[in-house]
Amino acid sequence: MYYYYYYYWSDYIFKYLLVTSNLLFSVLGLVTLVVGLWGLINKESFAQEKISGIGTDPMLLFCFLGLVLALLSLMGCVGALRENMCLLQTFSAAVLLLVAAQVLVAIVLYSLQGQIAEYLRLGMLAAMVRYQDDLDLRFITDEIQTGLQCCGADTYRDWEINVYFNCSAPGVQACGVPPSCCIDPLENGTVWNSQCGVGAQQLDEFSAQSVIFLGGCLGSISRWIEQHSGVIVTVVIILLGLQILTLFITAHLLQKIRWSRAQHDVYLQSLQ
């Protein structure tokens, strides 16, 4: 009798633990989807003159990831509630593929760790070239430079790669850097001064250090990763552990459903 109650309550706990976790991830997926849609609508990405470039919009990735996460979590939630073997098996297979993909990505990143810095450099230089033309790249670049207190990829003079900040450019921004490179872009006020980096590339390092950040962002990113490597590894292990635990709970629930159906079939046969 004690074993029966233990088996019953353990199944009950596992079942609703799976339901609750999937509900939370469904909400997270829907929020991500809404953020992506809001970003696309706010930037008028569906306008006729911009629709051709929507395929490269980062907000589209938010929409895709949010939709996939919401659908997958809802599948697991409904499958657990209804004890539907088809939904649970599909959910389990999808989670297994996700785990395998994440492990594969981790292996690839580890094997290419010597080349990652060069990929980051090329990516940042490409973002700097398109700084004025792509609002998303501008936002990301500004957040990196402001958050890590850096300027350019390797040095503040890297901004010469941009046609507007190049010293041969005709505009007022020539030989300058973005305001996110400035040590005090607000200049002790409340309004962002977009002209604080004007002419910064013409200054020597001694003069420039009081106005802008001299160090490149690649070094700052490397130092940030080194300082937070323990936290990053811990978060990755926890996320993988939760997904693997979900696989075990789903497998246990599937086994219980098969056992219940087998017992029901035996009972029906005994009545004949």
Side-chain angles (χ1 to χ4, degrees):
M1 181 64 71
Y2 173 78
Y3 176 77
Y4 172 79
Y5 279 114
Y6 172 79
Y7 189 75
Y8 172 78
W9 282 108
S10 65
D11 286 342
Y12 184 85
I13 291 171
F14 281 144
K15 176 179 178 179
Y16 284 97
L17 184 63
L18 187 62
V19 170
T20 304
S21 63
N22 277 301
L23 274 177
L24 292 174
F25 279 109
S26 296
V27 172
L28 178 62
L30 290 173
V31 169
T32 305
L33 176 61
V34 168
V35 168
L37 289 173
W38 173 82
L40 290 174
I41 294 171
N42 190 52
K43 295 187 299 179
E44 299 180 348
S45 298
F46 296 109
Q48 187 174 1
E49 62 273 12
K50 296 182 179 179
I51 195 70
S52 59
I54 197 172
T56 58
D57 196 311
M59 287 299 171
L60 199 63
L61 180 62
F62 276 82
C63 293
F64 175 75
L65 291 177
L67 183 62
V68 170
L69 181 59
L71 290 176
L72 182 60
S73 301
L74 285 173
M75 184 188 302
C77 185
V78 174
L81 278 174
R82 302 290 298 175
E83 296 191 352
N84 186 302
M85 289 188 65
C86 181
L87 286 178
L88 286 174
Q89 286 172 339
T90 306
F91 170 75
S92 183
V95 173
L96 183 61
L97 283 175
L98 282 175
V99 171
Q102 290 168 77
V103 171
L104 183 61
V105 168
I107 293 173
V108 170
L109 288 177
Y110 181 78
S111 63
L112 296 176
Q113 57 182 330
Q115 304 173 41
I116 290 177
E118 186 59 28
Y119 292 143
L120 284 175
R121 176 180 285 103
L122 293 175
M124 186 149 195
L125 290 175
M128 291 164 64
V129 168
R130 299 177 57 194
Y131 181 79
Q132 281 89 353
D133 304 320
D134 192 312
L135 292 177
D136 295 308
L137 290 177
R138 180 192 297 184
F139 174 78
I140 293 170
T141 304
D142 285 341
E143 287 298 305
I144 291 174
Q145 293 191 146
T146 304
L148 297 179
Q149 298 185 346
C150 56
C151 187
D154 297 299
T155 174
Y156 67 98
R157 297 189 188 279
D158 289 338
W159 278 103
E160 192 174 2
I161 197 174
N162 183 281
V163 292
Y164 297 95
F165 293 123
N166 189 283
C167 290
S168 61
V172 69
Q173 292 180 319
C175 262
V177 295
S180 56
C181 284
C182 297
I183 294 175
D184 184 16
L186 300 179
E187 295 190 345
N188 299 317
T190 56
V191 180
W192 185 279
N193 180 13
S194 60
Q195 304 297 318
C196 64
V198 171
Q201 291 184 53
Q202 293 177 323
L203 302 175
D204 57 69
E205 291 190 0
F206 181 78
S207 302
Q209 66 181 350
S210 61
V211 182
I212 62 172
F213 303 115
L214 300 183
C217 292
L218 291 177
S220 298
I221 291 172
S222 298
R223 287 190 294 273
W224 186 91
I225 292 174
E226 288 176 5
Q227 292 170 0
H228 298 85
S229 58
V231 176
I232 294 171
V233 171
T234 301
V235 170
V236 170
I237 290 174
I238 289 174
L239 289 176
L240 274 176
L242 287 174
Q243 293 171 77
I244 293 170
L245 181 61
T246 299
L247 285 174
F248 278 114
I249 293 175
T250 307
H252 178 83
L253 190 56
L254 283 167
Q255 185 180 14
K256 179 253 182 183
I257 294 171
R258 292 191 189 97
W259 182 83
S260 298
R261 290 183 179 181
Q263 291 295 106
H264 182 68
D265 292 340
V266 170
Y267 175 72
L268 290 179
Q269 289 176 3
S270 66
L271 294 178
Q272 294 177 356

